[in-house]
Amino acid sequence: MRNFFLSQSYKETQLHALNPQSWLQVERGKLYKSTSYSPSSIESLIKVAEPPVLTLFKPVDYVEVLAQIHEELEGCAPQEMSNLYLLQFQVFRGLGEAKLLQRSLHSAWQNATTVHEKLIYASWLRYEKQGEEVISDLLASCGKCSQEFGLLNVASQFPSKTVDTISRCSYQIDQISTMVFFQIRGEMIACERQKIAALSAPFNTMLNGSFTESILEVIDLSENGISPVGMRAVSNFSVEEHLDDLSVEILLEIMVFANTFCCEKLKDACDRQLASLVSSRQDAVELMECAMEEDAPVLAASCLQVLLRELPQCLNDEQVIKTFLNVNKQQRATMAGHASFALYCLLCQVTMNINPKSDVTVCFLEKLVESAASTRQKQLAFHQLGCVKLLRKEYSEAEHYFSAALTAGHVYSVAGLARLAYIRGDKLSSHEKLSSVISSYQPLGWMYQERALYCEGDRKLEDLDKATELDPTLTHPYMYRAASFMRKQDAKLALAEINRLLGFKLSLECLELRFCFYLALEDYKSALCDVQAILTLSPEYRMFEGRAPASQLRTLVREHVDQWTTADCWLQLYDRWSSVDDIGSLSVIYQMLESDAAKGVLYFRQSLLLLRLNCPEAAMRSLQLARQHAATEHERLVYEGWILYDTGHCEEGLRKAEESISIQRSFEAFFLKAYALADSSLDPSCSATVVSLLEDALKCPSDRLRKGQALNNLGSVYVDSGNIDMAADCYISALKIQHTRAHQGLARVHFLKNDRKAAYEEMTKLIEKARNNASAYEKRSEYCEREHTKEDLQMVTQLDPLRVYPYRYRAAVSLCPYRANLFCSHLNLIYQWSPVLMDNHKEKEAIAELTQAIAFKADLHLLHLRAAFYEHIGDIASALRDCRAALSLDPNHQEMLELHKRVNSQEP
């Protein structure tokens, strides 16, 4: 386990002997059943490691930093925008906001003003989108080319060199011939004297000035490093002002010659022609050296483009690594212009993903430190280098860089300094460092989590509980508490604790820990379920600090679980899908994929579950596997349609659905077309088309899992169009085939019929049946009396603290108990009611409720509501800060833009 290690005695075993057979008590295929689990065997499995010091930019107040970035973007020069978006990217990366960081990176690319920035950010986006090449192919099959990050015409990004006309020197001898001959290795190259003189001031002085050469008809250039072929090309250029097709070797000769004699126009032409010849990694490596030596920016940029397009593979090439590392400040400027920091940021991210402990990673980070100019850039660079030095156990250097980062203002780096103090045996100093931070800043979850590492007993648990209260997304506190319960042989509490986190955050480390719990309890069926879920999420996952493949452990555990037939698997899948047990459903599908069942269908179901579990990357991988294993062309077209739809290409997704229907009418093709149309069309009249499509889908063969979903969707369309009775029929039909989520739709129907009690009871049925029921509690809260609403929403926060509606509701109810739901939905009501409702105590309660959630969840609605509250209590500076931070999350949110404009006009 990445954050979890074995006992020392276990570590000493040979790798080939590492397996869980000692826990499984396997001997000659027989399983020994013990009456209780041994504390010593538990200890070897569940010793939870310290959380890593993250190599991320983590400001104490991310809202303030986002607001500052937004303010700077409003008034900065165009050439500064990309750097600001890069910083915004780093903030979102530290928050774990994958979609937002992608958007920031895209903004950095869109606002790039130099060729180097365009190349670097395009390459970075392409690196982030690894594995999505299939999308470009699918778009091409629809006649839509995706050239967004195609090869850039580098030369066109540089203005052509213009050279002032060189006037002839005053010293002239009229008798001198208009021709001059340059002797090179015994050959004579005839040139027009004044054309050569016009190439540069040195040539003009040589040929028209007071030097001896000005009266010579033959001048020996044999010692100037140019061949006769090269000099003839120079002569032709002096007349025709362009270079013929020449070999790389001759062009390099001319480049050096042009630099020697300051022929700027000749050098520029040579630079551009060489740039057009870079076509491979080897070309790029060889010519980059020349580009930096001769200060050839076009050639350098062309080489950079070729190298960056091959990330991450090119960083396995030592020549490429040397190209990026063996450069001084001037050469860095030639290679990357003013984007050196962005370049090394990208390279550092790639190498840290490959091997954070490698020498290459360290060297790139040292270049990042050299390139850092602003305070924020230094915070990131120093901190990341400190983290890597800590991993490499280079403690003295790690302390130097963590201290530098802290001095620059990166408070999170104190976590690294505390670790180092503890390693030196000064546990008290570690505790004091964290206590000082907690008392000096607004406390955050990570501060208490870190301090807990240097506490014992109840004080440790108090700090971990506080860490969870402040930031429920931190995994270490749950794991530590669960392991503590397990050591005390309280398996029920241990599983309940780890399930708290897995209920809203699918963590591989937590699944692995739960797998170990089940092993210790000899619950091999549950252990198999978890290891199969792990392998679904990460097929190459290795357990126990990377010592054992999860696939190997699965094989061993499976020997002790009864095997299911295909029919058994389908029954299990129906049961778990109906009980909204998504992890269990994933496990069943994983097992079914080993059979001869239609794999395309199963991978597709797997993708639906993964989307529901908020694992979009794994879901896309499953969709692509569904496409690869499609049994027929029309089935493949459906999966292609979903791939396009899920990546924002709705129109092309619809086209794939229609193409599939033209080959064969199928449930999935009609369902895809209906889903995409309902989600993308703003025309109310399209609801009739969606109804017709779903009805066509239901006429086609399919299993009850998918038909239940179609009936549920059809009910929603009927509700939206006001056909309540038809909606009720759909939901009831869906429930008859065990589509549990239809309870929510039926509850809505009851509510629209003014039967609030029936709606409440319907949602209660869903809560009782569903394994994951936070959303059901949230929905039921709408049908409760006020006190019960608060209870349900409190339960939502316990089950899934990332759901933001309960925080908004509680903030609103602090101000007006009887209008809370309206305030959550219609912020403009705050402006109407706040002069009557607000008082000093209540407004602080409301703001505190929102602040609690904002600390760990970057959410536009929370920031919007808090900004509105701040405006109405007259705290314009705080309101403006929240507006700017919210617009960093969604720059085009209309209500937020209006509030920002109004608040901004009030700023003194």
Side-chain angles (χ1 to χ4, degrees):
M1 185 185 291
R2 288 175 173 80
N3 288 331
F4 154 74
F5 53 88
L6 306 177
S7 67
Q8 191 60 38
S9 62
Y10 186 81
K11 287 182 180 180
E12 291 169 359
T13 61
Q14 296 297 314
L15 183 60
H16 65 80
L18 190 144
N19 60 57
Q21 291 191 3
S22 59
W23 317 315
L24 296 175
Q25 307 291 321
V26 176
E27 184 178 2
R28 293 191 179 93
K30 294 181 180 180
L31 182 63
Y32 170 73
K33 292 286 185 180
S34 59
T35 55
S36 65
Y37 46 92
S38 161
S40 60
S41 67
I42 292 297
E43 186 65 29
S44 71
L45 281 171
I46 62 170
K47 189 175 180 182
V48 177
E50 296 175 350
V53 180
L54 301 171
T55 59
L56 301 172
F57 181 57
K58 292 180 74 68
V60 170
D61 187 349
Y62 77 86
V63 173
E64 182 65 36
V65 174
L66 286 176
Q68 289 171 0
I69 294 169
H70 188 273
E71 183 179 11
E72 290 174 38
L73 283 167
E74 288 179 317
C76 72
Q79 61 268 25
E80 296 171 10
M81 295 184 79
S82 284
N83 270 336
L84 288 169
Y85 280 118
L86 175 57
L87 178 63
Q88 189 184 78
F89 162 85
Q90 296 292 356
V91 175
F92 289 138
R93 189 160 170 250
L95 292 168
E97 295 288 348
K99 288 184 179 179
L100 294 177
L101 68 85
Q102 287 276 353
R103 200 200 61 221
S104 294
L105 204 54
H106 202 272
S107 295
W109 173 73
Q110 285 181 316
N111 289 278
T113 56
T114 68
V115 62
H116 305 99
E117 289 177 338
K118 292 174 184 177
L119 294 177
I120 291 164
Y121 290 120
S123 299
W124 203 331
L125 284 162
R126 195 164 46 249
Y127 172 73
E128 292 282 341
K129 291 175 177 289
Q130 287 179 97
E132 295 186 13
E133 293 82 2
V134 66
I135 298 166
S136 297
D137 297 339
L138 293 179
L139 287 172
S141 73
C142 296
K144 182 177 180 181
C145 294
S146 177
Q147 298 293 333
E148 193 172 44
F149 308 122
L151 279 170
L152 190 66
N153 183 346
V154 170
S156 69
Q157 303 293 311
F158 288 87
S160 298
K161 285 285 180 76
T162 56
V163 180
D164 294 336
T165 303
I166 298 173
S167 57
R168 293 173 60 174
C169 295
S170 57
Y171 180 82
Q172 297 181 27
I173 301 177
D174 295 335
Q175 295 88 345
I176 296 302
S177 169
T178 59
M179 299 296 291
V180 62
F181 295 87
F182 291 104
Q183 181 175 326
I184 301 171
R185 301 173 195 168
E187 290 192 42
M188 306 290 283
I189 292 89
C191 303
E192 292 185 38
R193 181 181 293 270
Q194 297 310 320
K195 293 292 186 182
I196 295 293
L199 289 176
S200 69
F203 268 129
N204 187 39
T205 302
M206 176 195 290
L207 299 175
N208 293 323
S210 57
F211 290 93
T212 303
E213 287 85 354
S214 65
I215 59 174
L216 297 178
E217 289 189 12
V218 178
I219 300 172
D220 190 350
L221 286 184
S222 299
E223 303 302 319
N224 284 274
I226 193 165
S227 66
V229 174
M231 194 63 215
R232 287 192 189 93
V234 172
S235 177
N236 289 340
F237 181 84
S238 71
V239 175
E240 299 175 6
E241 296 194 347
H242 75 84
L243 289 168
D244 297 327
D245 291 336
L246 300 166
S247 69
V248 169
E249 292 73 20
I250 297 301
L251 287 168
L252 289 174
E253 273 183 25
I254 298 171
M255 172 83 79
V256 175
F257 180 83
N259 256 347
T260 302
F261 288 95
C262 304
C263 305
E264 292 301 320
K265 201 166 184 178
L266 174 61
K267 176 187 172 182
D268 182 60
C270 199
D271 189 8
R272 291 170 185 275
Q273 192 148 327
L274 277 168
S276 69
L277 299 176
V278 183
S279 60
S280 69
R281 183 194 302 177
Q282 193 59 38
D283 290 342
V285 168
E286 292 172 358
L287 292 174
M288 180 68 90
E289 184 178 356
C290 170
M292 290 189 289
E293 286 177 359
E294 301 301 327
D295 189 22
V298 185
L299 176 58
S302 184
C303 295
L304 182 66
Q305 174 168 236
V306 170
L307 295 177
L308 293 183
R309 285 185 72 82
E310 292 194 23
L311 286 175
Q313 292 80 9
C314 71
L315 293 184
N316 294 321
D317 187 331
E318 287 190 12
Q319 288 183 301
V320 174
I321 292 168
K322 288 177 181 177
T323 297
F324 287 124
L325 292 178
N326 298 341
V327 289
N328 58 33
K329 187 175 181 180
Q330 177 58 44
Q331 290 170 331
R332 267 204 326 265
T334 300
M335 179 171 61
H338 296 296
S340 291
F341 185 80
L343 172 62
Y344 287 104
C345 246
L346 168 58
L347 295 175
C348 288
Q349 181 175 322
V350 175
T351 54
M352 282 192 287
N353 287 342
I354 297 170
N355 181 5
K357 295 182 182 180
S358 71
D359 292 341
V360 175
T361 299
V362 171
C363 292
F364 279 142
L365 282 167
E366 288 171 347
K367 288 294 180 186
L368 185 67
V369 167
E370 289 177 20
S371 304
S374 70
T375 300
R376 291 160 176 163
Q377 289 177 348
K378 290 175 181 176
Q379 289 176 17
L380 175 66
F382 286 137
H383 177 72
Q384 289 191 331
L385 188 48
C387 289
V388 169
K389 292 289 185 181
L390 177 61
L391 281 173
R392 289 162 60 95
K393 299 184 179 180
E394 297 170 5
Y395 298 133
S396 178
E397 292 179 56
E399 183 173 20
H400 167 75
Y401 289 113
F402 280 134
S403 296
L406 183 60
T407 301
H410 193 248
V411 177
Y412 177 66
S413 296
V414 77
L417 292 171
R419 300 289 176 94
L420 292 165
Y422 180 70
I423 289 167
R424 290 195 304 268
D426 193 352
K427 188 174 181 179
L428 179 61
S429 174
S430 300
H431 189 277
E432 289 174 347
K433 289 179 190 297
L434 272 305
S435 295
S436 175
V437 167
I438 289 169
S439 62
S440 302
Y441 298 92
Q442 180 71 30
L444 297 172
W446 68 260
M447 298 175 185
Y448 284 94
Q449 175 179 270
E450 291 296 318
R451 193 174 71 172
L453 299 176
Y454 315 112
C455 302
E456 300 295 340
D458 290 342
R459 292 185 65 186
K460 186 183 191 76
L461 290 172
E462 285 172 9
D463 271 2
L464 289 174
D465 288 344
K466 186 66 174 177
T468 299
E469 177 189 329
L470 293 173
D471 186 352
T473 68
L474 295 171
T475 61
H476 175 76
Y478 298 92
M479 294 176 70
Y480 183 89
R481 286 189 294 263
S484 297
F485 287 132
M486 202 66 180
R487 288 190 197 98
K488 296 172 183 176
Q489 299 200 31
D490 194 335
K492 185 176 180 181
L493 283 178
L495 289 170
E497 184 63 29
I498 207 69
N499 289 340
R500 281 177 62 196
L501 182 69
L502 289 171
F504 67 90
K505 182 180 180 181
L506 196 54
S507 159
L508 287 170
E509 290 82 1
C510 289
L511 275 174
E512 182 177 346
L513 184 59
R514 192 171 72 174
F515 166 81
C516 293
F517 289 172
Y518 287 134
L519 281 184
L521 295 168
E522 298 181 5
D523 183 353
Y524 303 116
K525 185 177 178 181
S526 297
L528 181 64
C529 176
D530 278 354
V531 76
Q532 289 181 162
I534 287 170
L535 286 166
T536 300
L537 292 163
S538 180
E540 304 302 319
Y541 190 80
R542 298 179 70 86
M543 293 182 165
F544 309 123
E545 289 191 317
R547 295 166 187 266
S551 56
Q552 178 185 339
L553 296 177
R554 175 186 178 266
T555 300
L556 291 166
V557 173
R558 196 178 177 193
E559 293 175 7
H560 309 288
V561 177
D562 292 338
Q563 301 302 299
W564 290 336
T565 65
T566 301
D568 291 333
C569 286
W570 276 108
L571 288 172
Q572 288 290 331
L573 184 58
Y574 285 137
D575 182 56
R576 297 181 189 215
W577 199 290
S578 298
S579 63
V580 197
D581 177 7
D582 294 335
I583 292 176
S585 299
L586 278 182
S587 176
V588 175
I589 289 176
Y590 186 91
Q591 192 161 327
M592 293 172 76
L593 284 165
E594 291 189 334
S595 69
D596 295 329
K599 288 183 170 55
V601 172
L602 292 171
Y603 278 122
F604 177 60
R605 301 297 170 83
Q606 191 180 77
S607 74
L608 297 175
L609 287 165
L610 289 165
L611 279 177
R612 216 152 68 189
L613 288 164
N614 195 29
C615 301
E617 291 179 5
M620 181 55 66
R621 184 176 65 242
S622 295
L623 257 183
Q624 293 185 18
L625 286 168
R627 176 182 180 244
Q628 290 173 26
H629 290 87
T632 63
E633 184 182 359
H634 72 266
E635 182 186 343
R636 175 181 57 79
L637 287 166
V638 169
Y639 302 145
E640 289 179 353
W642 280 113
I643 290 171
L644 289 165
Y645 175 80
D646 286 346
T647 52
H649 303 285
C650 184
E651 184 180 335
E652 290 72 26
L654 279 168
R655 200 176 304 169
K656 290 287 183 182
E658 290 164 355
E659 193 177 343
S660 177
I661 292 168
S662 70
I663 297 172
Q664 181 169 327
R665 295 165 65 87
S666 69
F667 174 91
E668 292 298 350
F670 281 118
F671 187 89
L672 167 60
K673 186 174 180 181
Y675 193 94
L677 189 62
D679 195 40
S680 62
S681 177
L682 299 176
D683 184 359
S685 64
C686 86
S687 62
T689 306
V690 173
V691 167
S692 175
L693 289 167
L694 287 172
E695 287 175 343
D696 285 338
L698 288 165
K699 293 173 186 175
C700 299
S702 186
D703 60 77
R704 66 189 188 194
L705 294 177
R706 296 298 287 154
K707 291 216 169 185
Q709 184 65 62
L711 286 164
N712 196 59
N713 288 17
L714 184 56
S716 298
V717 177
Y718 280 134
V719 167
D720 291 340
S721 59
N723 198 335
I724 305 301
D725 292 334
M726 292 292 286
D729 291 341
C730 289
Y731 292 130
I732 291 167
S733 297
L735 288 170
K736 285 178 181 177
I737 53 175
Q738 294 184 314
H739 187 78
T740 309
R741 286 184 173 84
H743 283 297
Q744 182 168 319
L746 193 54
R748 187 181 176 196
V749 168
H750 290 314
F751 180 71
L752 291 172
K753 291 182 175 181
N754 296 317
D755 192 344
R756 197 184 187 97
K757 181 181 177 183
Y760 179 89
E761 290 172 353
E762 201 67 45
M763 289 307 301
T764 302
K765 293 176 186 176
L766 177 56
I767 288 168
E768 291 169 351
K769 292 179 182 178
R771 177 74 66 90
N772 299 315
N773 52 20
S775 62
Y777 274 106
E778 184 174 295
K779 195 65 182 175
R780 190 177 73 169
S781 71
E782 297 178 20
Y783 311 132
C784 300
E785 298 301 325
R786 186 165 62 89
E787 285 306 315
H788 288 141
T789 294
K790 291 170 69 174
E791 290 173 7
D792 272 1
L793 292 179
Q794 194 58 46
M795 179 61 75
V796 173
T797 300
Q798 289 178 27
L799 294 172
D800 185 355
L802 296 178
R803 300 185 78 89
V804 300
Y805 177 79
Y807 301 100
R808 294 163 60 195
Y809 177 89
R810 286 191 289 268
V813 84
S814 296
L815 300 174
C816 181
Y818 305 102
R819 293 290 184 270
N821 280 317
L822 287 174
F823 283 174
C824 287
S825 304
H826 307 285
L827 287 184
N828 61 311
L829 292 179
I830 293 171
Y831 313 135
Q832 299 170 24
W833 286 76
S834 58
V836 178
L837 300 173
M838 286 195 175
D839 62 56
N840 188 52
H841 175 66
K842 294 295 185 183
E843 65 205 20
K844 286 183 179 179
E845 279 186 21
I847 289 170
E849 181 69 39
L850 295 169
T851 301
Q852 177 189 352
I854 289 169
F856 63 85
K857 173 72 173 174
D859 181 81
L860 181 139
H861 300 292
L862 295 174
L863 286 165
H864 190 183
L865 190 56
R866 191 172 73 169
F869 287 167
Y870 274 131
E871 181 194 14
H872 281 278
I873 64 172
D875 189 347
I876 300 304
S878 295
L880 189 57
R881 177 204 61 204
D882 282 359
C883 286
R884 286 169 173 160
L887 288 171
S888 298
L889 306 181
D890 184 355
N892 301 312
H893 192 272
Q894 193 56 44
E895 288 183 22
M896 200 68 249
L897 287 167
E898 291 170 5
L899 178 58
H900 175 253
K901 182 179 179 181
R902 186 172 63 251
V903 171
N904 203 25
S905 68
Q906 299 174 52
E907 189 182 27

